[in-house]
Amino acid sequence: MNEDAKMNSELIDKQSGYLNMELLRFTTAGSVDDGKSTLIGRLLYDSKAIFEDQLEAIEEASNRRGEEHLNLALLTDGLRAEREQGITIDVAYRYFATPKRKFIIADTPGHIQYTRNMVTGASTANVALILVDARLGVIEQTHRHAYIASLLRIPHLILCVNKMDLVDFNQDVFEKIKFQFHEFSKKLEISDVCFIPISAKNGDNVVGKSNKMPWYNDETLISLLENIPIEKDEDINDARFPVQYIIRPQSDEYHDYRGYAGRIAGGVFKKGDNVLVLPSVIKTTINSIELNGKQLESAFVLQSVNITLTDDIDISRGDMIVKENNQPQMNQNIELMVCWLNEKPLISGGKYWVKHNTKDVRCVITDIVFKMDINNIEKNIEDKHIGLNDIAKIKIKTSKPLIFDPYTRNRITGSLILIDENTNETVGAGMIL
Amino acid sequence: MIHKLKHIEELESESIYIIREVAAQFEKPALLFSGGKDSIVMYHIARKAFFPAKVPFPLLHIDTGHNFIETLDYRDNLMKQTGATCIVRCVQDTIDKGKAVEEKGYNASRNVLQTITLLDAIEEFKFDAAMGGGRRDEEKARAKERFFSHRDDFGQWDPKNQRPELWNIFNGKKRMGEHFRVFPLSNWTEMDIWQYIYSENIEMPSLYFTHERELIKRDGVLLANCPYIPLKESDEIITKKIRFRTIGDMTCTGAVESPAYTIEEIIKEVAISRVTERGGRWDDKRSDAAMEDRKKEGYF
């Protein structure tokens, strides 16, 4: 084989490898002071996701700001105001890949006034990466971040104890923080948590193993991100298909074709499955599952497909196809945890639009049960003022029944947003109990 | 048995979901088509999303008049093949009507002017959603863009006042006169796009592959020699084997020296490339916040 042919065949291998990668979404919580931007810069830099022209641009910017070292934090500050003020305003998305996985980072600012951003970033994440300054240990901010991660049911949590270089890479400091966090997290429902001692600035235990902490024998951050099992992160048990769009070609060739388009929100559907259409509760059978004319034997969670049924039934957007032996709940009275996203506070008795899966309904807020003090994880039943960044348990009544699962069971069928009827803004993020 | 989509499949599935959501939530959407790789991929995915029905919205091409002839040929062929409707609106007409003034000087470009033509077309056809092929990995201002990006009745973007976007729920509610920009490929990278083109076997414009071309070498950037670029004394005219990594106007799209003549070779090149694809784009080099400023005004 000549050199060129060899390179090409290696490339095809690499390609098939690349095409076969998994996608992992993670969110990072922490403030600039914790070195969050530096850590992300480090991940991008060490995985070679940063290009020379980007590097030149931040070198120039670092010089202009009179900084001695390359300021990796500048890589992630997108908007002019952020660069000028040295802060992060909004959720920014970053991308990098290693030979094993492709990663999407939802980079969110950590200060208390940005709870809504962290909730936004957390809503689609497989992993939450929480930064702790080794010198400060577990602080209120850590509590808040861990609580949000557990509320949003992020399946995996990684606690990065950063700035280990500033505590002489001392193992006792690391162990103490681990203990502090375990004590605190007893109050939360967190199933999978890992701890890593790192120095983002110098790269210790980020991509390469640190030789300054021989006492740490576990994985580096990048290898942890590459290897955390994520195939069970979605609801793989409850077959749910929210109907998104009706496909009617109205052509001679497909005269009577009626396809139900949507993205599977849980479990698996197979050709020939006996299914139930909700809310009408009509039984039927799956005739075919297809995409772009290609027939599929089965389809599973997160796949966008087209389903045809054996019976001609009246189905519209917002309906849900499920399996007969595993049905979701259908109710107009719903209890949920809500994170408030708007400066205009929640109005008890107020009316809002609800968007839930592919369904739009209206609702009225029937009760504010309690407000969560997210720094101490305590319920406050006295305080009924729910403003920007507050988290509360509320009750709503919807104009039509919602077809849902508890959020703890299914993050897609269990989530909803509240929309202000006057401004059309998204004002609340709801997790159904 | 455990099911887990591979990353390209997951990205495609997400994009299909977004495009169907646009068709369901809006009355008059359009797909912005430039003839570049991102809009080609977006249109390919849209066709898959609605098959066996036709794509339920038209394509809209804003023609600056400075396009590569290869881009226009590709566009016309694709429309013929797929039977799609493509509305074309020209920057030249906007200039002739006195709504825009041609830039002067050596680096003059119609890049900024096309925003006016685009907003006029959106108003003319009462489009309430315009899908673009923008990706978050392209540029730092784009990294904060939503899938569903709200625009006021002047078509402007307010980066500090965007609607939070959670889970897979997209809020397309709006008042009369307002519209949305939607970016179904938000989560794709340049590498993902090429891998997808490879695995779906999508035909691409010849500009992306190596060819010999007469070029203007200006400040280290290689631009196609064409009547739209006034020559400076310091400009050097050379002929080289090049290809384009992005396709925009002839006036601002930089070429890269490359022998790549297959998709596989392009992928190889992207994999080892050390500059971003927009590194050769004059329109971004104007200032540190050039993209942010243009986006605020209603740019693509």
Side-chain angles (χ1 to χ4, degrees):
Chain A
M1 211 190 296
N2 69 27
E3 210 39 42
D4 261 14
K6 197 172 150 227
M7 253 181 105
N8 269 336
S9 81
E10 272 170 22
L11 181 78
I12 306 285
D13 284 351
K14 216 175 130 194
Q15 265 160 18
S16 52
Y18 188 87
L19 290 166
N20 281 320
M21 288 199 302
E22 284 176 333
L23 182 61
L24 182 140
R25 300 172 199 248
F26 69 96
T27 181
T28 53
S31 65
V32 178
D33 317 328
D34 300 325
K36 179 178 61 85
S37 299
T38 311
L39 176 63
I40 292 174
R42 172 61 63 189
L43 281 170
L44 299 177
Y45 187 76
D46 285 359
S47 66
K48 304 201 167 38
I50 293 175
F51 294 104
E52 275 168 15
D53 48 333
Q54 290 173 313
L55 205 59
E56 273 168 30
I58 64 161
E59 265 168 2
E60 218 173 275
S62 301
N63 285 339
R64 216 167 40 228
R65 291 157 61 112
E67 290 168 12
E68 265 178 53
H69 297 284
L70 186 64
N71 187 346
L72 289 174
L74 289 175
L75 269 171
T76 59
D77 296 330
L79 303 171
R80 194 200 300 266
E82 295 174 322
R83 285 195 300 280
E84 281 165 6
Q85 296 162 39
I87 51 157
T88 315
I89 293 171
D90 201 63
V91 187
Y93 295 87
R94 314 281 161 202
Y95 304 83
F96 71 99
T98 68
K100 283 198 172 163
R101 273 181 182 163
K102 162 169 168 144
F103 299 95
I104 300 179
I105 314 175
D107 178 17
T108 67
H111 297 290
I112 188 155
Q113 63 267 37
Y114 295 120
T115 297
R116 80 167 201 176
N117 291 325
M118 186 177 164
V119 169
T120 303
S123 70
T124 52
N126 302 93
V127 176
L129 219 145
I130 296 178
L131 267 94
V132 174
D133 185 329
R135 295 168 301 175
L136 305 174
V138 172
I139 55 172
E140 243 181 41
Q141 179 173 270
T142 322
H143 292 177
R144 199 163 63 237
H145 293 159
Y147 174 72
I148 293 170
S150 89
L151 179 72
L152 271 289
R153 293 276 152 180
I154 302 181
H156 316 276
L157 203 147
I158 302 174
L159 204 81
C160 292
V161 180
N162 191 22
K163 305 197 181 179
M164 287 300 291
D165 52 317
L166 300 182
V167 295
D168 296 328
F169 300 101
N170 188 331
Q171 183 178 7
D172 293 343
V173 173
F174 177 68
E175 295 299 335
K176 193 177 147 216
I177 290 172
K178 251 171 99 167
F179 178 77
Q180 282 177 340
F181 188 82
H182 273 307
E183 280 302 297
F184 159 76
S185 67
K186 282 178 187 161
K187 292 190 204 173
L188 307 175
E189 288 174 60
I190 294 174
S191 50
D192 179 26
V193 54
C194 300
F195 299 85
I196 309 185
I198 63 166
S199 163
K201 204 174 100 197
N202 305 316
D204 293 88
N205 287 337
V206 178
V207 172
K209 211 157 162 33
S210 170
N211 54 18
K212 310 231 175 60
M213 291 174 272
W215 47 267
Y216 177 77
N217 294 316
D218 282 324
E219 290 178 286
T220 61
L221 177 59
I222 198 78
S223 87
L224 198 55
L225 288 170
E226 283 181 325
N227 295 312
I228 284 182
I230 53 173
E231 60 274 6
K232 290 183 186 169
D233 286 2
E234 304 297 332
D235 177 1
I236 52 172
N237 300 309
D238 311 307
R240 303 283 183 260
F241 186 74
V243 176
Q244 189 185 7
Y245 189 84
I246 317 294
I247 293 182
R248 304 195 62 182
Q250 289 163 328
S251 62
D252 292 341
E253 197 184 342
Y254 295 97
H255 193 264
D256 294 320
Y257 186 96
R258 210 178 151 83
Y260 302 101
R263 194 177 191 195
I264 295 173
V268 185
F269 286 92
K270 292 192 184 70
K271 194 177 159 177
D273 272 349
N274 293 319
V275 291
L276 210 58
V277 180
L278 300 174
S280 57
V281 206
I282 295 173
K283 287 184 196 177
T284 181
T285 309
I286 293 183
N287 175 54
S288 72
I289 303 173
E290 51 195 68
L291 183 68
N292 200 27
K294 194 177 146 201
Q295 302 293 318
L296 309 171
E297 279 309 307
S298 66
F300 50 91
V301 64
L302 295 187
Q303 254 182 303
S304 281
V305 291
N306 212 355
I307 289 180
T308 65
L309 302 171
T310 49
D311 302 288
D312 204 3
I313 322 168
D314 184 26
I315 299 179
S316 42
R317 174 173 159 90
D319 289 359
M320 201 188 283
I321 297 173
V322 303
K323 287 203 196 153
E324 220 180 315
N325 57 1
N326 177 338
Q327 296 183 28
Q329 299 180 42
M330 256 207 296
N331 207 326
Q332 277 178 274
N333 290 297
I334 291 160
E335 286 192 358
L336 58 145
M337 295 300 293
V338 68
C339 173
W340 204 248
L341 310 170
N342 203 268
E343 266 126 30
K344 210 167 110 189
L346 172 89
I347 300 164
S348 186
K351 294 196 173 83
Y352 296 88
W353 283 105
V354 175
K355 250 187 197 296
H356 170 253
N357 285 321
T358 53
K359 204 179 184 75
D360 284 12
V361 297
R362 294 181 75 203
C363 83
V364 58
I365 311 291
T366 49
D367 192 18
I368 296 170
V369 184
F370 61 78
K371 179 166 157 177
M372 201 72 189
D373 174 347
I374 57 170
N375 291 322
N376 307 309
I377 321 301
E378 276 165 12
K379 295 168 186 171
N380 183 340
I381 52 168
E382 306 296 323
D383 188 356
K384 305 274 175 172
H385 181 270
I386 310 301
L388 178 63
N389 296 313
D390 285 340
I391 289 169
K393 180 179 169 179
I394 62 168
K395 292 181 183 176
I396 61 172
K397 181 167 194 213
T398 55
S399 54
K400 282 181 190 147
L402 293 187
I403 305 159
F404 65 92
D405 294 286
Y407 184 77
T408 51
R409 194 165 174 95
N410 187 314
R411 291 213 286 176
I412 304 172
T413 57
S415 54
L416 57 81
I417 60 169
L418 298 175
I419 297 168
D420 186 297
E421 292 190 321
N422 294 313
T423 64
N424 291 328
E425 284 179 305
T426 304
V427 292
M431 288 138 280
I432 303 173
L433 293 165
Chain B
M1 186 175 153
I2 290 166
H3 299 285
K4 174 89 185 124
L5 289 177
K6 296 304 173 192
H7 91 279
I8 292 276
E9 297 168 330
E10 190 171 333
L11 289 174
E12 184 199 51
S13 179
E14 178 180 83
S15 302
I16 289 175
Y17 182 82
I18 304 286
I19 292 170
R20 285 170 170 172
E21 211 46 29
V22 170
Q25 288 197 33
F26 296 95
E27 292 188 359
K28 223 176 160 203
L31 187 147
L32 300 177
F33 187 82
S34 70
K37 62 183 184 307
D38 300 322
S39 61
I40 293 169
V41 164
M42 178 165 60
Y43 177 52
H44 179 87
I45 294 174
R47 283 165 59 207
K48 287 181 90 166
F50 300 103
F51 188 90
K54 282 191 172 171
V55 174
F57 38 75
L59 280 66
L60 172 64
H61 182 221
I62 301 302
D63 185 349
T64 58
H66 291 172
N67 277 302
F68 288 94
I69 186 75
E70 291 89 338
T71 305
L72 301 179
D73 285 348
Y74 178 90
R75 176 196 73 192
D76 295 342
N77 274 331
L78 185 65
M79 298 312 123
K80 212 181 289 168
Q81 273 172 30
T82 61
T85 315
C86 185
I87 298 165
V88 180
R89 283 294 173 269
C90 299
V91 172
Q92 187 61 51
D93 294 337
T94 310
I95 294 169
D96 293 345
K97 281 183 205 152
K99 286 184 158 184
V101 181
E102 189 98 72
E103 287 183 7
K104 293 196 173 65
Y106 292 111
N107 293 325
S109 149
R110 288 182 167 180
N111 190 284
V112 178
L113 306 189
Q114 61 181 337
T115 300
I116 305 170
T117 315
L118 171 64
L119 292 175
D120 278 355
I122 287 171
E123 208 173 297
E124 178 188 348
F125 293 95
K126 303 271 176 283
F127 288 130
D128 54 0
M131 277 171 272
R135 311 188 322 263
R136 287 172 179 152
D137 81 319
E138 274 181 89
E139 209 280 335
K140 52 194 183 244
R142 288 214 198 269
K144 310 218 159 174
E145 185 59 279
R146 302 291 191 263
F147 279 98
F148 273 44
S149 179
H150 178 257
R151 301 303 159 104
D152 63 19
D153 41 6
F154 296 99
Q156 292 179 332
W157 181 61
D158 179 2
K160 281 191 223 158
N161 188 25
Q162 299 191 77
R163 292 179 185 175
E165 214 160 66
L166 298 109
W167 299 290
N168 59 340
I169 312 175
F170 299 96
N171 174 3
K173 289 195 182 292
K174 62 186 178 330
R175 294 194 186 123
M176 282 284 285
E178 297 175 342
H179 76 275
F180 272 78
R181 297 294 172 82
V182 180
F183 302 99
L185 305 180
S186 289
N187 278 333
W188 296 60
T189 61
E190 184 189 13
M191 187 57 147
D192 297 328
I193 293 285
W194 281 113
Q195 291 283 351
Y196 186 73
I197 289 167
Y198 175 76
S199 63
E200 295 280 300
N201 202 11
I202 303 172
E203 194 194 323
M204 298 303 287
S206 58
L207 293 167
Y208 284 113
F209 304 96
T210 190
H211 59 283
E212 206 160 84
R213 186 178 283 271
E214 197 175 87
L215 303 149
I216 303 169
K217 190 174 181 186
R218 178 182 291 179
D219 302 333
V221 178
L222 297 173
L223 297 163
N225 191 15
C226 65
Y228 315 121
I229 307 177
L231 290 177
K232 277 192 209 178
E233 225 166 89
S234 58
D235 288 344
E236 218 182 303
I237 305 290
I238 46 174
T239 301
K240 278 192 183 303
K241 285 199 88 145
I242 56 102
R243 63 176 209 92
F244 294 94
R245 265 177 93 183
T246 67
I247 295 180
D249 275 1
M250 297 184 87
T251 57
C252 60
T253 308
V256 288
E257 283 187 62
S258 161
Y261 63 90
T262 62
I263 306 273
E264 288 97 318
E265 286 172 337
I266 291 175
I267 291 171
K268 188 156 64 181
E269 213 175 82
V270 172
I272 56 170
S273 174
R274 297 307 302 144
V275 279
T276 63
E277 58 184 319
R278 297 193 76 92
R281 289 285 286 249
W282 269 107
D283 41 341
D284 292 345
K285 290 198 168 174
R286 291 185 168 194
S287 86
D288 212 19
M291 177 66 91
E292 181 182 344
D293 293 342
R294 281 179 297 158
K295 277 179 69 64
K296 281 180 186 165
E297 298 299 322
Y299 186 70
F300 292 78

